[in-house]
Amino acid sequence: MKKKILSVVLCAAVIASMTACGGSSSGTTETAAAGGAAETAGNEEKSDGGTAADGSDFKIGLITDVGGVNDGSFNQSAWEGLQTAMADMGVEANYLESSTDADYAPNIETFVDEDYDLIISVGYMLADATRAAAEANPDTNFAIIDDATIDLDNVTCLMFRQEQASYLVGYVAGLVTESDNIGFVLGMSNETMNQFGYGYVGGAIDANPDIKVQQFNVNSFSDSATGKTMTNTAITNGADVVFHAAGATGLGVIEACQEAGVYAIGVDSDQSSIAPETVITSAMKRVDNAVYDTVESLINGTLEGGIHTYDLAAGGVDIAPTQDLLSDEVIAAVDEVKAQIISGEIVVPVTREEFEASYGDVYELD
């Protein structure tokens, strides 16, 4: 895919389908960010009928990782959040797609050279390039999704409790499987991505102690063919539900499940539209909310560096709202578990040590 810059002309039909998101989080320490309606100053009409800040003088740039803006997942959700900010606040917004990791630095530099007010990097793989650009350009605002390693005043780190959403879909898988055999396809094994696995495997075990979880690491977020191959292996070995945390690689996972007539579980956004009779639910990370909040804070003059964490209690992560393929009993069970996570009765592990303390040495990908 060629690297491209896109200047967007919004169409009303697209914007009507976008979801406005939560209020700004602030501060340089870790905070929870809400996913409800934003309450802001200004005189622009919001798409939900309220008012939003006037951002017509602001330019916002989005840098995708190698999955691209149409990955149906992580990058796409970020772009949708920025599109909603365009509709509500009048900002100018563009994106650059990265074909390889060599594109990260020059893509960021393009937006720096064009005097963008905020540059948003999608994914921890852009951390080194973002850090270097932020150090060299202290007057430019940067944000990065899923990385908390950049400690600079002009960098906002947007983090998610992905293990909580993954626990919920793991619980679903443990309840709906008929073979007591499920699969998990990971895009890349590292500290951040393994949190998906800890949550999924833990939730599945808690729902079904007899469960077997086949685990695969593709080592790529853009290799749908290998994702499909690994999923076919899981299905051949008895899996009847497969969850992916793999970006665009996950499109191959869903395709394999659809062809085999087994269930898939999506990630990051509600992926049921990809295969409505196959994707039973998704572990949602409201990346769109985080992007929207960040833009709103920039316009309002309240954007600060530091870590901003979106969790289940605040609506920053959740199970997908599309639940047509789930029984009332499964939905009720998941709602109960969700309440227990929010109350603290269930604490989902975020590290290998925490996971093994609760479940033993059964997670294979860290």
Side-chain angles (χ1 to χ4, degrees), residues 227-253:
K228 183 175 182 178
T229 298
M230 289 184 170
T231 303
N232 281 329
T233 298
I235 294 168
T236 298
N237 291 332
D240 59 359
V241 183
V242 182
F243 170 48
H244 84 87
T249 295
L251 298 176
V253 174

Side-chain angles (χ1 to χ4, degrees), residues 24-360:
S24 304
S25 45
S26 62
T28 56
T29 58
E30 189 168 317
T31 59
E39 297 180 359
T40 61
N43 55 15
E44 292 295 312
E45 288 298 315
K46 288 188 64 179
S47 59
D48 63 2
T51 59
D54 180 5
S56 56
D57 293 332
F58 291 83
K59 294 197 298 183
I60 317 297
L62 184 80
I63 310 294
T64 78
D65 71 5
V66 295
V69 78
N70 293 314
D71 63 353
S73 181
F74 194 60
N75 292 282
Q76 185 168 327
S77 180
W79 178 234
E80 288 174 353
L82 192 48
Q83 286 178 297
T84 306
M86 293 168 69
D88 287 353
M89 292 175 262
V91 298
E92 177 185 341
N94 302 300
Y95 69 78
L96 284 169
E97 292 186 306
S98 304
S99 298
T100 71
D101 56 5
D103 292 329
Y104 299 152
N107 280 348
I108 294 172
E109 189 61 31
T110 295
F111 284 143
V112 170
D113 290 344
E114 294 179 2
D115 295 323
Y116 273 63
D117 299 287
L118 172 65
I119 301 170
I120 303 171
S121 299
V122 185
Y124 68 89
M125 296 179 70
L126 283 77
D128 289 344
T130 302
R131 182 185 297 105
E135 288 175 342
N137 301 277
D139 294 329
T140 301
N141 294 294
F142 295 84
I144 185 167
I145 296 166
D146 269 359
D147 181 83
T149 66
I150 306 175
D151 185 15
L152 296 170
D153 290 342
N154 60 330
V155 180
T156 304
C157 300
L158 305 173
M159 300 297 291
F160 300 83
R161 296 295 302 272
Q162 53 250 13
E163 76 281 357
Q164 295 179 341
S166 298
Y167 183 95
L168 295 178
V169 299
Y171 205 86
V172 169
L175 293 177
V176 304
T177 179
E178 296 180 356
S179 64
D180 292 339
N181 189 329
I182 62 176
F184 174 53
V185 177
L186 187 66
M188 191 170 294
S189 178
N190 56 53
E191 182 178 356
T192 297
M193 295 306 298
N194 283 325
Q195 291 171 2
F196 285 98
Y198 300 143
Y200 179 67
V201 177
I205 293 173
D206 284 345
N208 184 347
D210 297 324
I211 201 82
K212 174 182 179 180
V213 186
Q214 300 181 57
Q215 302 162 47
F216 303 86
N217 176 24
V218 180
N219 204 35
S220 172
F221 293 108
S222 59
D223 188 354
S224 61
T226 301
K228 183 175 182 178
T229 298
M230 289 184 170
T231 303
N232 281 329
T233 298
I235 294 168
T236 298
N237 291 332
D240 59 359
V241 183
V242 182
F243 170 48
H244 84 87
T249 295
L251 298 176
V253 174
I254 294 172
E255 183 178 0
C257 291
Q258 185 176 30
E259 292 176 357
V262 304
Y263 287 139
I265 296 176
V267 76
D268 292 336
S269 60
D270 185 345
Q271 295 191 309
S272 60
S273 62
I274 298 173
E277 299 303 316
T278 299
V279 179
I280 54 173
T281 189
S282 301
M284 292 186 66
K285 290 169 59 174
R286 296 309 304 265
V287 178
D288 54 343
N289 285 3
V291 168
Y292 186 102
D293 290 348
T294 304
V295 173
E296 185 179 61
S297 296
L298 173 73
I299 294 170
N300 288 336
T302 59
L303 182 64
E304 298 183 10
I307 301 171
H308 300 250
T309 299
Y310 290 69
D311 64 6
L312 180 61
V317 298
D318 206 343
I319 195 169
T322 302
Q323 301 176 349
D324 297 344
L325 300 179
L326 300 179
S327 69
D328 291 342
E329 291 78 12
V330 170
I331 294 171
V334 172
D335 285 343
E336 181 178 353
V337 167
K338 184 188 301 187
Q340 291 173 327
I341 294 174
I342 292 172
S343 71
E345 183 177 348
I346 293 176
V347 179
V348 183
V350 295
T351 66
R352 177 177 181 175
E353 291 73 22
E354 291 174 0
F355 179 87
E356 291 185 350
S358 296
Y359 303 103

